Amino acid sequence: MSAEVHEMPPITDAPPDTLFLVGDVFAEFARHEGVLTVSQFARRIRDGMFHEGAGETRVTLGQGVSLFDVRFVRDTLARRGLADRVVIDDLALHTRAGREIAHKHRPENVLISEPSPTGADRFESVLLVDAHNEVMSDHVTGQHMQGMLAMEAGRQMFIAVAEQYYLPPEAVGASYFVIDTFATRYRNFLFPLPAVVRCTVLSHRSPHRTRTTFHCELSVVQGGSETAGMEVRFTAFDTQVSHTKETRAAQRSLQETLALAADADPVRPAVRT
């Protein structure tokens, strides 16, 4: 899935005292000046990248870098007495949204930090793409990240916002989310650089104590420009109510499929032995 705008925005060289660190899976993007993969950075440290008299270097994390990777880099620096020379900003990795609000069982599949309010019904999270994320497992081409990552980040964002800020405490972690509509527009490629996910709750109401409906706008923003925008309408149901509805729907679908299969089954000739 690619953007409608196919021109690659210019990437300016980072100043010598600033580096962007990305996961090894983004080696193609790391061809740009001022960008290194985790393995490249560790190798350059061992090869004497920080010579005598070199000033402080600030490392900004792009996408695909885990806390395990950061620990590896810091250990490599410490063994050479360079821990004070390099400042790695890994704060966002420590704020990854939890299982209860992101509705994911594995941390590498969570794409956002915990949402923070930025205004009335407005929220923002940091995009956190792990190299082992389920969406990344079988599709990495070129320098940009696939559009499905933006959609999945948006999906996790509206669920987390609803769970954390709008549903009653007793419903948090006990709600089932059903999407009614999910429209996505792509404006630019999304690269493995820092990005944020924004959510505006346009409306929400609870027509019944067992469900709350939402209408939200979301966007993934990188370098001040929107790479993808989404509009979604969804409903948060009480889990027990949703389970009952889903079971009935599953039974009905099974019966309809069996009926179609029976109608389509040709008359089998008798087999003589």
Side-chain angles (χ1 to χ4, degrees):
M1 189 176 299
S2 58
E4 293 181 0
V5 179
H6 297 288
E7 293 184 3
M8 184 183 298
I11 301 174
T12 58
D13 292 346
D17 61 347
T18 301
L19 288 171
F20 287 106
L21 190 65
V22 300
D24 289 351
V25 70
F26 296 118
E28 186 72 20
F29 183 78
R31 294 184 179 185
H32 291 277
E33 187 72 24
V35 183
L36 293 172
T37 67
V38 172
S39 293
Q40 289 171 346
F41 191 36
R43 185 164 56 249
R44 292 200 185 186
I45 294 169
R46 290 191 289 264
D47 290 345
M49 176 182 185
F50 299 98
H51 54 79
E52 185 71 25
E56 182 183 274
T57 297
R58 300 192 65 83
V59 175
T60 298
L61 300 187
Q63 306 300 330
V65 182
S66 67
L67 284 172
F68 188 75
D69 292 328
V70 174
R71 190 176 303 117
F72 165 63
V73 170
R74 285 189 168 136
D75 288 345
T76 305
L77 289 165
R79 282 193 294 271
R80 285 153 183 80
L82 299 170
D84 295 335
R85 289 270 193 92
V86 180
V87 178
I88 303 176
D89 181 8
D90 63 345
L91 178 62
L93 290 179
H94 294 274
T95 63
R96 192 181 296 272
R99 172 173 169 173
E100 189 171 57
I101 65 171
H103 289 208
K104 286 293 181 181
H105 290 273
R106 301 179 64 88
E108 64 268 25
N109 291 331
V110 177
L111 290 169
I112 59 171
S113 66
E114 292 183 0
S116 298
T118 58
D121 296 316
R122 295 177 182 273
F123 306 88
E124 184 173 288
S125 287
V126 178
L127 181 68
L128 300 171
V129 178
D130 190 286
H132 300 289
N133 181 276
E134 58 190 343
V135 181
M136 292 280 294
S137 64
D138 197 30
H139 182 71
V140 178
T141 58
Q143 300 184 47
H144 70 283
M145 299 189 295
Q146 57 267 40
M148 285 302 297
L149 281 168
M151 287 185 66
E152 174 60 15
R155 189 191 71 85
Q156 291 182 20
M157 183 67 173
F158 71 69
I159 291 175
V161 165
E163 289 272 29
Q164 195 167 358
Y165 293 100
Y166 290 91
L167 297 182
E170 64 272 13
V172 175
S175 295
Y176 191 90
F177 289 77
V178 176
I179 297 173
D180 299 312
T181 62
F182 195 167
T184 304
R185 59 187 180 278
Y186 293 94
R187 301 195 181 280
N188 266 308
F189 287 126
L190 178 64
F191 293 103
L193 290 170
V196 296
V197 185
R198 292 173 180 162
C199 175
T200 300
V201 179
L202 300 176
S203 67
H204 64 97
R205 64 189 187 90
S206 299
H208 190 272
R209 63 178 179 80
T210 61
R211 64 182 184 273
T212 303
T213 61
F214 292 86
H215 179 199
C216 299
E217 284 185 346
L218 303 110
S219 61
V220 178
V221 178
Q222 186 170 75
S225 299
E226 182 181 276
T227 64
M230 291 150 271
E231 182 178 359
V232 61
R233 296 177 186 271
F234 64 97
T235 302
F237 287 94
D238 174 89
T239 300
Q240 189 56 48
V241 172
S242 178
H243 177 72
T244 300
K245 289 178 176 291
E246 186 177 33
T247 299
R248 290 173 181 168
Q251 291 172 340
R252 183 169 61 252
S253 180
L254 177 60
Q255 291 168 358
E256 291 171 349
T257 303
L258 286 172
L260 285 174
D263 290 342
D265 192 23
V267 177
R268 296 179 183 272
V271 178
R272 297 179 180 177
T273 59

